[in-house]
Structure formats: C-alpha cells, structure tokens
Amino acid sequence: MKRREILQWTGTLVALAPWAARSKTTADEIQVFKGRSCGCCAVWVRHLREAGFGVAVVDVHSAVVERRRLGMPDRYGSCHTATVGGYVLEGHVPAADIRRLLDTRPKALGLAVPGMPASAPGMEVPGRHEPYQVLLVDAAEQATVFASHRG
C-alpha cells in the first residue's frame, strides 16, 4: 500500500468516526408515539430515561394509527407505541425487559403489555399489586410470555 492510499484510508476513517460514535449512542434510543395529554405515557417515558435509555417522544393524534402502521395487532394494544432497535414496543413494558430484548435479539415483532395493568411502569397505583405479563409478539401476530411480573 502506498503512502497516498494509507492517507486516504486514514482520512476516511477519521471522517466516519463521529458517525460511528453517534450511531452507538442512539442504538438504544426509544421513539415513543403517544397522545399529547397522556399522563401515564409521560411517567413511562421517565421510567425509561431513569433506566438509561434515550427517549424521543412524538406526540400523535392517535397511537392506534402508529400501532397499526408498525404492524402491532390491536389485540395487544395499550395507550402508546414505541420502537427500539428494530422492535415495536406496545404499552407499559418495563425497561429491564426492553434491555433483555435488545441483549437476546429474538426473532420477533416486539414486546407488548396489553391494556394498562395497574402495576406496570407508569401505571403504578399505591396499594394495588396487579400481576401482568410482557408478551413477545412474532411476525405471525402470535404471542408467548416473555416475562411475568407480580406487580
């Protein structure tokens, strides 16, 4: 390799370095689609940020439209829809379960906590301990239990 080629490759690597660093910091960024006035969604976003996730919030007229656009079946619906790392998140999914999803990278559409269970992050009600499940939803719209929580 000639000196000129080495300098060209070095210049290319130097030019790409900021992009590589930026892409690493946004890999775990969660994009949340929620209604502007939804208070429990805002509490869930705070839960995610406290767990170390970067979160970009997009206020939408209807989270249902976003859920359908992203391919999450309505039967797994909740009040907000999100995306992270190529997955769809529906409802009040705990940050620890999102980390596990990203660490294990199963072949799936994403995770869902259907409805709005009183013990899920963002939905906590003092004195209520409602058990709930986080579902792993596959491309065929079938779900298996990814995690169970006592509440």
Side-chain angles (χ1 to χ4, degrees):
M1 197 179 254
K2 296 181 181 175
R3 183 171 186 231
R4 176 176 283 180
E5 290 173 319
I6 292 171
L7 290 173
Q8 286 175 332
W9 277 107
T10 303
T12 301
L13 292 174
V14 168
L16 289 175
W19 176 84
R22 190 168 48 250
S23 67
K24 184 176 181 185
T25 60
T26 61
D28 287 348
E29 182 171 274
I30 299 173
Q31 186 171 35
V32 179
F33 301 95
K34 68 171 204 62
R36 185 175 309 278
S37 62
C38 186
C40 66
C41 296
V43 177
W44 183 68
V45 166
R46 185 172 64 233
H47 164 76
L48 297 176
R49 287 181 174 145
E50 288 172 355
F53 284 102
V55 181
V57 176
V58 180
D59 288 326
V60 295
H61 178 69
S62 172
V64 174
V65 171
E66 297 303 320
R67 177 185 326 127
R68 290 176 181 165
R69 178 181 66 82
L70 294 166
M72 182 63 73
D74 285 341
R75 68 180 171 274
Y76 304 119
S78 186
C79 58
H80 57 264
T81 303
T83 59
V84 64
Y87 292 102
V88 178
L89 305 172
E90 182 64 33
H92 294 265
V93 179
D97 294 335
I98 298 168
R99 282 272 177 232
R100 183 174 145 221
L101 175 76
L102 295 173
D103 287 346
T104 59
R105 308 288 304 164
K107 192 172 187 176
L109 174 63
L111 298 178
V113 175
M116 298 170 73
S119 299
M123 291 300 302
E124 296 94 343
V125 175
R128 281 188 68 186
H129 304 286
E130 183 177 319
Y132 67 96
Q133 296 178 325
V134 176
L135 304 177
L136 181 70
V137 181
D138 66 23
E141 301 183 359
Q142 300 304 307
T144 56
V145 176
F146 187 76
S148 293
H149 296 276
R150 293 181 181 183

